[in-house]
Amino acid sequence: MLQCRSYDRCSTIDVRYPATWMHDLQYNDTITTVSGYLSMNILSGKHIILGVAGSIAAYKIAELARNLTLEDALVDVILTKAAEHFVGQATFQALTGRPVLTDMWALPEDGVVGHVALGIHADAVAIAPATANTLARIAAGICDDLLTTTVLATQAPILCAPAMNPQMYAAAATQKNIATLRQRGFTILEPAVGRMAEPMVGKGRLPEPDVLEGEIRALLGRRSGPLRERQVVVTAGGTREPIDPVRYVGNRSSGQMGYLLAALARDYGARVKLISGPTALTPPPAVTVIPVETTIQMRDAVLAACVDADILIMNAAVADFRPAHALVSKIKKSGESGLILELVQNPDILGELKEHHKLFKVGFAAETDDLIANAKGKLARKNLQMIVANDAVASIGQPDIQVTLINADGEITALPRQSKSQAAAAVLMAIAQRFNERAC
Ligand code: CTP
């Protein structure tokens, strides 16, 4: 008999679940069904102050303010006097639905002295673009306008995204101010390299709004996320095994799920290392990306990263076999004959971490047959705390995915078919929950 337990809102097994794995269920399996999508949006309800200083790059902050507001954050924009030469209050007011702040004497009292009220209530402060002048004033502790006063009065984490002429950025005074602020715990981003507003190329560009959003998410996560102060290693994509200089043995993994999980773990406050096979994806901001190509390279990177990690999410589609000899010259056709490739087995990365008992290990099983039985076998063989099983054929190249979570204690949680980002959110929520239960 199957025991069914309500996890979210649904207490019956959904008939949409694929029949392939229903056959594998044992009489004592506990099935947990989840009808909704579990997630945690780190931006939701957070009070974020965007300090905009006087740089041509200020226009990019309009998009950031909009995106943060759409994610349910409460966004207060402070414009410095110089910023008002580049962007108008009306733009930000329309995008955030809140009055734009410029004057430190015009704030509502709210029980706290007006000019420091913003800093006291903030969850995060982001200064972008941060000009040389604004950085210098903050480093010196000057508080002669609303932005610098807010910074001095806040206990919230502070992010600065310097943007300026490359020579001004490289100047000894600016670098000293940046070093001082880093020492005080500010997160200071590196400017991007590229074409400046004036006709020159250099290091001084403001990073794009999605990068700034990722950094703000990391800042908030490290303050209150369920995985704060944890190190999480995520692998993603497929490995490639060279046949000759132009050909390889590979697989069809896009890496999407792994990249989503890495970004979510960052939002949950973890320091994330993403060890990735080649993909066409843009790496998530505020995540350390370690690119690899072959299984051996991935094994070496994973073993090194896991020395002090808390959680390993092994999402990569690892090539189990590699050509016995990778040739240094391109293979040529010879007459009509075919080609026989000799393949040797690659190391099992999770297998090598079997004895790493402190590490919370999560594997993935994309199967074509006997989904639950195969996944359970891997969970036990590789000594995992959790395995995420899915039907390989039904998910390759599809926007949606149906995954089933199996825990080491035998609990099986079938998630509904949903978008890959919803599935990733539910998977990470389950990992964080399980990990924290074990850590207690
Ligand atoms: N994995 C690994 N090292 C390998 C192969 C797989 O660490 N050489 C990991 C995968 O990243 C995944 C889990 O093991 O998290 C299961 O991978 P999968 O390819 O489904 O299983 P295999 O162990 O390779 O078994 P098989 O291919 O025979 O089904």
Side-chain angles (χ1 to χ4, degrees):
M1 199 187 95
L2 301 175
Q3 303 166 38
C4 297
R5 174 156 84 79
S6 174
Y7 188 73
D8 187 21
R9 292 181 291 277
C10 170
S11 58
T12 53
I13 299 173
D14 191 317
V15 289
R16 288 170 300 171
Y17 297 142
T20 44
W21 65 261
M22 297 286 280
H23 300 308
D24 301 321
L25 297 171
Q26 304 293 313
Y27 75 98
N28 58 351
D29 284 336
T30 300
I31 311 295
T32 307
T33 58
V34 181
S35 61
Y37 123 67
L38 299 173
S39 80
M40 187 206 76
N41 176 6
I42 192 71
L43 288 171
S44 180
K46 296 292 183 343
H47 186 189
I48 297 166
I49 294 178
L50 288 183
V52 183
S55 151
I56 182 62
Y59 75 93
K60 289 186 183 174
I61 303 307
E63 190 178 337
L64 177 64
R66 175 179 187 271
N67 293 346
L68 295 174
T69 305
L70 288 178
E71 289 289 331
D72 222 11
L74 200 69
V75 181
D76 274 325
V77 175
I78 301 178
L79 298 181
T80 64
K81 283 250 168 311
E84 288 195 83
H85 290 288
F86 295 95
V87 282
Q89 293 187 29
T91 307
F92 290 106
Q93 193 153 336
L95 293 172
T96 62
R98 295 175 65 78
V100 170
L101 308 156
T102 52
D103 179 0
M104 69 171 164
W105 305 111
L107 286 173
E109 292 284 325
D110 200 19
V112 183
V113 181
H115 63 289
V116 294
L118 271 178
I120 287 169
H121 294 307
D123 291 299
V125 178
I127 305 169
T131 56
N133 183 44
T134 298
L135 290 169
R137 287 188 302 134
I138 295 172
I142 292 170
C143 42
D144 58 353
D145 65 5
L146 185 57
L147 178 57
T148 48
T149 308
T150 301
V151 167
L152 209 59
T154 195
Q155 290 198 327
I158 304 173
L159 174 80
C160 293
M164 64 196 76
N165 166 283
Q167 264 115 43
M168 289 173 79
Y169 178 70
T174 307
Q175 288 304 311
K176 175 130 194 302
N177 290 329
I178 288 174
T180 302
L181 294 176
R182 281 205 173 112
Q183 224 169 23
R184 286 184 200 152
F186 285 51
T187 300
I188 315 269
L189 302 188
E190 292 290 318
V193 177
R195 167 97 198 216
M196 306 301 297
E198 66 266 45
M200 71 181 295
V201 171
K203 185 174 180 179
R205 281 174 61 83
L206 184 69
E208 296 307 310
D210 58 334
V211 173
L212 297 173
E213 182 183 326
E215 295 285 349
I216 292 170
R217 286 172 174 273
L219 215 61
L220 291 167
R222 288 201 289 270
R223 198 171 156 94
S224 63
L227 293 179
R228 63 187 177 277
E229 291 168 28
R230 300 298 183 182
Q231 312 259 6
V232 175
V233 178
V234 181
T235 67
T239 54
R240 289 179 180 175
E241 306 296 334
I243 297 171
D244 67 17
V246 294
R247 303 181 178 95
Y248 58 83
V249 177
N251 58 62
R252 292 167 65 182
S253 167
S254 69
Q256 202 188 345
M257 177 61 79
Y259 276 56
L260 287 165
L261 289 166
L264 287 162
R266 170 206 64 198
D267 288 8
Y268 277 32
R271 302 269 174 193
V272 181
K273 286 185 182 156
L274 172 61
I275 300 171
S276 173
T279 72
L281 303 170
T282 306
V287 160
T288 304
V289 180
I290 302 168
V292 296
E293 193 158 334
T294 65
T295 298
I296 302 265
Q297 288 170 359
M298 183 168 278
R299 189 262 316 258
D300 293 347
V302 169
L303 295 188
C306 283
V307 170
D308 50 6
D310 299 288
I311 301 175
L312 168 62
I313 304 176
M314 194 70 202
N315 175 251
V318 181
D320 288 326
F321 302 97
R322 67 179 184 278
H325 312 284
L327 300 175
V328 289
S329 302
K330 189 179 166 196
I331 300 172
K332 292 286 183 194
K333 286 197 288 289
S334 90
E336 297 290 304
S337 64
L339 176 71
I340 294 174
L341 269 183
E342 188 195 343
L343 301 175
V344 294
Q345 207 172 111
N346 268 326
D348 186 314
I349 303 172
L350 278 175
E352 293 198 12
L353 287 161
K354 218 173 149 183
E355 302 304 321
H356 194 333
H357 296 294
K358 257 183 66 193
L359 188 65
F360 188 95
K361 286 163 283 181
V362 181
F364 282 72
E367 306 289 342
T368 51
D369 313 283
D370 303 329
L371 181 60
I372 297 297
N374 277 324
K376 278 174 148 186
K378 286 171 192 178
L379 177 89
R381 251 194 333 276
K382 299 180 190 231
N383 193 18
L384 308 176
Q385 277 65 51
M386 185 188 292
I387 194 155
V388 183
N390 72 285
D391 181 327
V393 179
S395 57
I396 283 179
Q398 299 298 318
D400 293 349
I401 191 167
Q402 191 279 317
V403 300
T404 300
L405 312 181
I406 308 174
N407 288 315
D409 61 11
E411 186 187 52
I412 299 178
T413 306
L415 303 185
R417 194 167 182 91
Q418 54 194 333
S419 74
K420 285 189 177 161
S421 59
Q422 289 173 326
V427 167
L428 197 77
M429 177 66 90
I431 292 172
Q433 216 167 318
R434 279 275 156 170
F435 170 81
N436 283 325
E437 274 165 25
R438 190 174 91 142
C440 281

